[in-house]
Amino acid sequence: MVSMNFNDQHIVLLGGSSGLGLATAQAAAAAGARVTVVSSREARVDAALAQLPASADGRVADLTDEAAVRDLFVAVGPFDHLAFTAGEPLQLGMLAETDVAAARATLDLRVWGAYTAVRHAAPLIRDGGSITLTGGTAAVRPQAGWTVGALICGAMESLTRALAVELAPLRVNLVRPGVIRTDLWSAVPEPDRAALFAQVAAGLPAGRVGEAADVAAAFLYLMDNRFATASVVTVDGGTGVA
Ligand SMILES: NC(=O)c1ccc[n+]([C@@H]2O[C@H](COP(=O)([O-])OP(=O)(O)OC[C@H]3O[C@@H](n4cnc5c(N)ncnc54)[C@H](OP(=O)(O)O)[C@@H]3O)[C@@H](O)[C@H]2O)c1
């Protein structure tokens, strides 16, 4: 049995106040890490800290603002692992009905926010550390109406591989989640959300949608495995196989 030990390691989670980031922060803290959770709203950071050990700390930063990102990492200083899970509710829509300016704006946080964060964080990451970014199954199994999501997720996979080459020996990896039950889906009102999850679950070999803890395990694996770089780990319940 493999057990991960993150004692004496400091992990910074951008988007760590909710969903995949918070679950990863909780799993990392349980494995001994000191964690710093970052997101744009103070109330959400405070709520996350209430669910983490006292050793955790939180910071507020809008990751679409490069000056805020630079100031964030100056304040954080040297650390071991970075996870980028920040994201906004999904914008789904058919090409013909999608406003181009709005579609373009959705890349600000997930693509350019990640790019900016890596640019300012990489020099601070200690030997043996890593960066783990977030993509999504849309990169390889898109459905009609998912063009913007697929664009973002595909860009993140290419970015990951390019960064792994350019920043080596710093390791850069990506987690590719399927549909995971988090606040990301809160824009879909109940009971439509429950119906959506049930419909997705019925089409998956796993027979259920994912939980944030399922995906947190993949983040920790990629941080821990010193031979993992330019890797994409898919955690999607078998999307597209059935
Ligand atoms: N859940 C899924 O089914 C799924 C599937 C595939 C991919 N993904 C991707 O995985 C990532 C994490 O998703 P999730 O499900 O964990 O979503 P989530 O629960 O909604 O968490 C998103 C996080 O991003 C933060 N955030 C939003 N805007 C920000 C900004 N401008 N600056 C800094 N932080 C910001 C949020 O906190 P604040 O509101 O406080 O800023 C929150 O901590 C996203 O990129 C998402 O697209 C999710």
Side-chain angles (χ1 to χ4, degrees), residues 14-21 38-42 44-45 61-64 85-88 90 109-110 134-137 153 177-185:
L14 305 181
S17 70
S18 175
L20 310 186
V38 180
S39 78
S40 69
R41 289 183 277 175
E42 190 161 11
R44 290 191 98 189
V45 171
D62 177 354
L63 300 171
T64 62
T85 61
E88 293 145 339
L90 297 172
L109 176 60
R110 285 196 61 189
T134 310
T137 303
C153 294
V179 174
I180 314 296
R181 190 194 311 272
T182 69
D183 285 356
L184 194 80
W185 296 94

Side-chain angles (χ1 to χ4, degrees), residues 73 77-79 116-126 131 167 170:
F73 285 109
F79 65 101
T116 305
V118 171
R119 184 167 183 273
H120 289 279
L124 296 170
I125 297 179
R126 297 187 187 107
I131 295 170
L167 300 179
L170 175 57

